[in-house]
Amino acid sequence: FANRQLDNPCLEKIDALPARWEQEPAWRQDFAAPELAPLHIVETEASFMAMVAQLETLEVIAVDLEQYQQRSFYGVLCTLQISTGSENFLVDVLASEVRQAAREHLHRVLSNPNIVKVMHAPKDDAKWLRRDFDVFLVNVFDTNTAAKESGLPLNFAELAKCLLGIDLDKSSQRKDWTRRPLPPAMAYYAVADA
């Protein structure tokens, strides 16, 4: 049975596909230095809608969330970070007009099957997005699963160091994300984490 060749009706189409993963993906280099890309703080409905319109035109984005759970059983979703490689968005989902706009329009990006969402171990993020914004993630590339399958480090900071040569400062990970305004160190951490 092992020597038996099975006919795949799609084999011809598969062979005709461009071998795009044989070379270094161009987007990998774009995400290598998030601190060099402009940072947009999204804290109004207008800036949120402008961000959504821009993101809808892209093929790949990196996404992360920060939640604060120290004083709440369920936790509070505080920020949404999105990186395009050339721009970073730090979305204040605690701002009421942004939260409302996110409930109505965030699905246009995060549920869009034409946009790849690069995330690291997004299980909790997916749960929080569903709970707070009724958003289902579609077309997600999980770097944690990819690392596991490739024998690479599973820890996000170690993976970023291994693949991109970036040292991530994780000291803000357990800070109070409900603070406003966010201190610059926390804003940087949030964006670099995406």
Side-chain angles (χ1 to χ4, degrees), residues 64-85:
D64 190 38
L65 304 168
E66 298 303 329
Q67 173 160 301
Y68 184 65
Q69 290 186 250
Q70 301 305 327
R71 297 187 181 117
S72 166
F73 181 75
Y74 291 108
V76 177
L77 186 56
C78 301
T79 64
L80 165 67
Q81 304 87 248
I82 299 176
S83 180
T84 68

Side-chain angles (χ1 to χ4, degrees), residues 18-19 77 88 94 107 118 124 169 181:
L77 186 56
N88 295 307
L94 291 179
H107 72 278
V118 178
D124 288 336
D169 177 7

